[in-house]
Amino acid sequence: MVLYVIGLGLADEKDITVKGLEAVKTCERVYLEAYTSILTVPKERLEALYERPVVIADREMVESEADEILRDADKINVAFLVVGDPFGATTHTDLVMRAKELSIPVIPIHNASIMNAVGCCGLQLYNYGQTISIVFFTDSWRPDSFYDKIKQNRAIGLHTLCLLDIKVKEQSIENMARGRKIYEPPRYMTVNQAVEQLIDIEETRQEGVYTKDTIAVGLARVGCPDQTIIAGTLEELVTADFGGPLHSLVIAGHMHFLEADLVRTYAVNPETFNRHAVILDH
C-alpha cells in the first residue's frame, strides 16, 4: 500500500488532476494540509467531489502527529493533499522521509503551484532568481534576510518571486507560554503590506537594492476566475486594491522587451512603467 502526496493546484476542488482524483478514491484516509497555503473553497467541496471524508491537517498535526497520518499506510492507501504542488513547501519532505523510514512507499502526484503559475504575469520563468519569503513583522521581530537574496538577484538582472506570509491557527506568545489552546484569527499578508515592509527594510539598510520607483507585479488568487494582476512601482502598489487572499509579489529585474509588452498591460500607469522599467531591446 502507499502514501500518496497529491498536489491540488491553486484554486478549488476541480484543480486536482485526473491521476490525483483516481488515487484519492482508492484511499481509506485523506488529509488536507492547511497551513502552508489555502484553497478558495471549504473542505466540504472537496469531500463532495472526492467522495471521501477529508481531515484537516494543521501544522501541529503534521509536525507532531505524523505517526497518526502514516498509521497503517503499509496496509492501506492514505492521501496527503497539498495546495499547489506536493513539494512546493519544504515542510512536506519531513513526512516523506518518515514514511520512507517506515518502508511505506510514497507516490507524489504533481500539480500547478505559484512557483510556475507566476509566469501568467508576463515575466518569463527562466528569468527568475532565488525565491524569497516575507513574514509579518512584529514590534520586536523584523527579519530582513530576504534583502540579501533580492540584492543577489537584482545584481544579475533577475526577477524575484516573493511568497507572502499566512498565519493559520497560530497562538499568541502569551497563550503559548501559558499552554492555552487559544488561536489567533487567520491572517494573510497582502501585496500592500509586503511592499510597505520592503520599503521599510530598504530605508533601514540603505544599500540601494531597490527604491520606491522599482517596478514590481502583484498577483492575487492566481488560477481563480477573479485572478488579479497589477504592475507598477512599489509606491503605486502600496495603494492598489488586490482583493482577498492569497497574494504574491514579483520584484522585476531586467525585462526582455517581450516581457515588458505583456507586463505593461497590467500597469497602474503605463507612462510610469515605461519610465522606471529596465527593458532590454534584445
Side-chain angles (χ1 to χ4, degrees):
M1 296 291 101
V2 66
L3 171 69
Y4 287 106
V5 187
I6 302 173
L8 295 184
L10 293 164
D12 59 32
E13 76 280 11
K14 294 182 180 179
D15 280 351
I16 193 171
T17 64
V18 173
K19 182 184 291 186
L21 182 59
E22 290 176 346
V24 167
K25 290 189 174 183
T26 70
C27 293
E28 293 194 23
R29 295 199 313 277
V30 179
Y31 298 91
L32 172 62
E33 186 268 278
Y35 62 90
T36 61
S37 190
I38 58 167
L39 290 177
T40 61
V41 296
K43 77 180 184 81
E44 287 77 14
R45 290 267 295 270
L46 278 67
E47 291 173 330
L49 179 62
Y50 304 165
E51 299 177 348
R52 291 289 185 278
V54 174
V55 177
I56 298 295
D58 58 19
R59 183 187 298 272
E60 184 176 347
M61 170 177 276
V62 176
E63 294 181 352
S64 303
E65 302 175 29
D67 291 344
E68 173 57 24
I69 295 174
L70 298 174
R71 176 175 52 84
D72 296 332
D74 57 338
K75 304 180 183 68
I76 61 173
N77 288 346
V78 175
F80 185 74
L81 310 181
V82 179
V83 178
D85 185 80
F87 299 109
T90 55
T91 184
H92 304 130
T93 58
D94 180 65
L95 184 66
V96 170
M97 288 301 300
R98 288 172 183 254
K100 289 181 176 292
E101 288 169 0
L102 295 170
S103 299
I104 296 170
V106 178
I107 298 179
I109 300 178
H110 296 283
N111 209 322
S113 77
I114 192 60
M115 301 291 286
N116 53 35
V118 69
C120 68
C121 76
L123 297 172
Q124 297 166 1
L125 293 179
Y126 51 76
N127 290 331
Y128 282 75
Q130 302 173 82
T131 297
I132 68 165
S133 296
I134 301 178
V135 301
F136 283 110
F137 286 173
T138 69
D139 293 338
S140 58
W141 190 57
R142 296 156 56 83
D144 64 356
S145 58
F146 59 77
Y147 185 87
D148 297 308
K149 293 183 179 180
I150 299 173
K151 183 177 183 178
Q152 292 167 8
N153 288 346
R154 289 183 62 76
I156 53 177
L158 298 179
H159 315 310
T160 304
L161 171 60
C162 309
L163 304 178
L164 309 188
D165 200 8
I166 71 173
K167 299 290 189 186
V168 179
K169 203 174 181 183
E170 297 276 340
Q171 292 175 277
S172 68
I173 293 175
E174 180 183 355
N175 285 329
M176 191 180 302
R178 294 176 178 273
R180 297 186 299 213
K181 297 289 186 179
I182 300 174
Y183 301 100
E184 301 293 296
R187 289 191 297 152
Y188 307 98
M189 182 179 286
T190 64
V191 168
N192 320 89
Q193 292 169 317
V195 170
E196 288 176 345
Q197 292 189 183
L198 283 168
I199 292 172
D200 187 66
I201 290 299
E202 178 58 60
E203 290 175 348
T204 300
R205 298 278 294 261
Q206 294 187 354
E207 297 177 31
V209 172
Y210 48 83
T211 72
K212 292 181 180 180
D213 291 328
T214 297
I215 295 296
V217 186
L219 305 96
R221 299 172 305 285
V222 172
C224 297
D226 63 344
Q227 169 179 297
T228 296
I229 302 174
I230 303 174
T233 65
L234 289 174
E235 187 171 41
E236 288 172 332
L237 295 188
V238 169
T239 56
D241 182 7
F242 289 90
L246 292 170
H247 293 191
S248 301
L249 176 69
V250 180
I251 302 171
H254 297 170
M255 283 181 256
H256 186 276
F257 69 90
L258 291 176
E259 290 179 292
D261 286 346
L262 182 50
V263 177
R264 189 182 294 108
T265 66
Y266 300 117
V268 173
N269 183 329
E271 292 183 4
T272 304
F273 177 86
N274 290 337
R275 187 159 61 249
H276 296 293
V278 181
I279 303 174
L280 306 175
D281 60 3
H282 59 279

